Amino acid sequence: MDNELLNMELLSGPLYKNALKQLDLACTAMKLDPNVAARLKYPKRALIVSVPVRMDDKSIKVFEGYRVQHSLTLGPGKGGVRYHPSVTLSETAALAMLMTLKCSLFGLPLGGAKGGVRCNPNQMSRQEKQNLTRRYTSEISNIIGPDKDIPAPDIGTDEQTMAWMMDTYSQEIGFAVPGVVTGKPLSIGGSLGRTDSTGQGVAYTIMSAAKHLNMTLDKDTTVIVQGYGKVGYSAARKMDKIGCKIIAVSDENGGIYNPKGLDIEAIHKHLTAKKNLAGFPEAQPVTNTELLELKCDILIPAAVESQITEKNAGKLKCKILAEGANSPTTLEADPILFDKGIFVIPDILANAGGVTVSYFEWVQGLQKFFWDEKEVHNRLWNIMETTFEKVLAVHKEYKVNMRTAALISSLQHLSKAMLVRGFFP
Ligand code: GLU
């Protein structure tokens, strides 16, 4: 059978299987040309690298890293780099596919890619992380670049990681190449508003969903956020600013709950000082499983994948589910949520604020002309609102759920580009 090895490897992970099934559903619903659909099932290119790292105790440890380019039809590859113990080729390929669909949905002139190294950054020193990042960048340097593929932060990586990647790539080329990554520090060509952009975008799509559902967002609107990293924290902060009541938040160790509302900035200070949510005053502890099942108006899973499954979907008590994380919901959970009347804002729509501002950063860098924060926010708001409306129109026209609608909308744009470019050779 064709592609046997690739199939075996890619289908070994639940995320890839889930992504393929989602893709299939959308292709069937929109009757996509099967020749186009077949090409989207596999990544265009997948690179596996060994990343030997000198650890602080002078020993050398070899990590496994990946960079997967799912599609380069619309432009250079785009997608984050993940440092996490669960990173695999299959997971990276699934996330690369999601990036293709996300960029196409938002009409960005970018393809889809993803990278990752299987490691635990929480147990590594700053020097070890720098060594890892520099060697990983060097190993993938012949397939990345401002016109080829542009990495960005994801789980376990940040602005500093991007600065090291940019420096390593630039050292190899011989001059500064800021456009090789996005999500960089401002001092080397980063964009204002990039750090908060994913959470900000999640909040913008919630505002659009609330308008569609005739729901007011005020002090009686309760919000729960799972995951208090970059995305969760900025989404919570924005929802708090809009005037909603954040009643529960969590990190990987568990959560805190207070039906009267939580003080977002006090939590941030507590977390910065104690590195843990536990012990936060005036709140009761909850587990991550309990947190998802608490009654609220808006639930934002902003942690890792596969948190909402067929086992707990029936127990959710929210009106809007806004997917801040990539793939937090399994395919089996979708019809259960739909039957319960929960309005799902799917990941490729809800969390695309990050890659959208990455695109703004890339554009500003190419023009060597930088925008103020207000301009970044206004442009982000416009693109998020327009795309939400576009997905809503497909949702009504095809009578499919919002996830399938987002995929159809994305595939309409991508397939047009694939067909007009034609087939090579
Ligand atoms: N890692 C983010 C995502 O999954 C951002 C990617 C980017 O900015 O390229 O969307």
Side-chain angles (χ1 to χ4, degrees), residues 78-80 99 102 114 150 152-154 182 194 326 351 354-355 358:
K78 190 79 198 83
M99 287 309 302
K102 210 186 287 192
K114 200 86 182 190
I150 308 155
D154 198 77
T182 59
R194 174 63 182 89
N326 286 318
N351 73 27
V355 71
S358 269

Side-chain angles (χ1 to χ4, degrees), residues 139-157:
E139 293 297 340
I140 63 165
S141 67
N142 51 2
I143 64 162
I144 60 168
D147 298 315
K148 289 183 179 175
D149 180 5
I150 308 155
D154 198 77
I155 295 175
T157 56

Side-chain angles (χ1 to χ4, degrees), residues 17-84:
K17 278 191 211 149
N18 204 58
L20 266 191
K21 282 192 219 149
Q22 283 180 4
L23 189 70
D24 260 355
L25 270 180
C27 293
T28 311
M30 70 188 287
K31 301 191 180 62
L32 184 69
D33 180 338
N35 290 329
V36 172
R39 288 173 62 194
L40 293 171
K41 288 186 180 153
Y42 300 99
K44 174 181 176 62
R45 184 181 290 144
L47 181 63
I48 308 177
V49 294
S50 287
V51 188
V53 176
R54 174 86 64 194
M55 307 302 278
D56 290 345
D57 66 4
K58 303 281 175 261
S59 68
I60 288 175
K61 207 167 160 187
V62 185
F63 296 88
E64 192 166 299
Y66 315 96
R67 184 72 190 172
V68 179
Q69 295 167 347
H70 174 261
S71 164
L72 302 178
T73 299
L74 297 171
K78 190 79 198 83
V81 173
R82 184 173 284 202
Y83 289 173
H84 194 271

Side-chain angles (χ1 to χ4, degrees), residues 24 36 52 64 80 113 117 131 133 147 159 191 210 229 232 239 271 291 313 326 330 345 364 399 404:
D24 260 355
V36 172
E64 192 166 299
V117 179
N131 295 349
T133 301
D147 298 315
E159 282 190 1
S191 172
M239 293 312 292
L271 204 62
L291 176 117
N326 286 318
T330 64
I345 314 174
Q364 292 169 80
K399 297 186 177 44
T404 307

Side-chain angles (χ1 to χ4, degrees), residues 153 183 191-205 230-231 234-235 237-238 349-361 373 376-377 380-381 384:
S191 172
L192 287 165
R194 174 63 182 89
T195 319
D196 289 340
S197 54
T198 310
Q200 191 104 13
V202 172
Y204 287 167
T205 56
K230 283 171 292 214
V231 180
S234 52
R237 219 168 54 172
K238 184 69 187 165
L349 175 59
N351 73 27
V355 71
T356 301
V357 178
S358 269
Y359 163 63
F360 294 166
E361 179 177 330
E373 194 155 13
V376 172
H377 286 163
L380 178 62
W381 164 255
M384 298 292 311

Side-chain angles (χ1 to χ4, degrees), residues 230-403:
K230 283 171 292 214
V231 180
Y233 170 53
S234 52
R237 219 168 54 172
K238 184 69 187 165
M239 293 312 292
D240 185 60
K241 218 166 146 195
I242 293 171
C244 299
K245 186 158 67 176
I246 317 296
I247 57 167
V249 299
S250 70
D251 62 14
E252 56 196 342
N253 304 312
I256 48 174
Y257 170 54
N258 184 344
K260 292 202 190 100
L262 295 162
D263 180 343
I264 296 306
E265 291 315 320
I267 296 174
H268 188 61
K269 269 190 208 143
H270 177 90
L271 204 62
T272 313
K274 305 256 162 52
K275 307 261 172 279
N276 207 318
L277 285 172
F280 182 76
E282 287 174 42
Q284 65 192 76
V286 282
T287 64
N288 259 310
T289 315
E290 289 164 348
L291 176 117
L292 293 173
E293 297 168 12
L294 291 168
K295 187 171 180 331
C296 63
D297 295 310
I298 299 158
L299 177 63
I300 308 176
V304 286
E305 50 270 3
S306 310
Q307 294 299 294
I308 298 156
T309 64
E310 76 264 42
K311 291 205 183 85
N312 63 357
K315 297 183 194 152
L316 262 53
K317 298 177 197 73
C318 57
K319 293 183 188 134
I320 295 178
L321 178 73
E323 298 184 339
N326 286 318
S327 272
T329 308
T330 64
L331 197 71
E332 294 72 28
D334 267 342
I336 306 174
L337 299 173
F338 192 68
D339 282 348
K340 283 178 70 87
I342 294 176
F343 188 83
V344 178
I345 314 174
D347 50 4
I348 62 167
L349 175 59
N351 73 27
V355 71
T356 301
V357 178
S358 269
Y359 163 63
F360 294 166
E361 179 177 330
W362 182 63
V363 168
Q364 292 169 80
L366 287 173
Q367 296 179 339
K368 312 255 183 289
F369 180 73
F370 291 85
W371 312 339
D372 61 24
E373 194 155 13
K374 206 163 141 222
E375 178 153 13
V376 172
H377 286 163
N378 285 344
R379 286 183 186 267
L380 178 62
W381 164 255
N382 283 341
I383 199 167
M384 298 292 311
E385 196 193 24
T386 316
T387 309
F388 183 91
E389 292 299 330
K390 195 168 72 172
V391 174
L392 203 59
V394 174
H395 163 69
K396 289 177 188 160
E397 186 192 334
Y398 285 80
K399 297 186 177 44
V400 290
N401 66 31
M402 284 292 279
R403 187 178 319 282

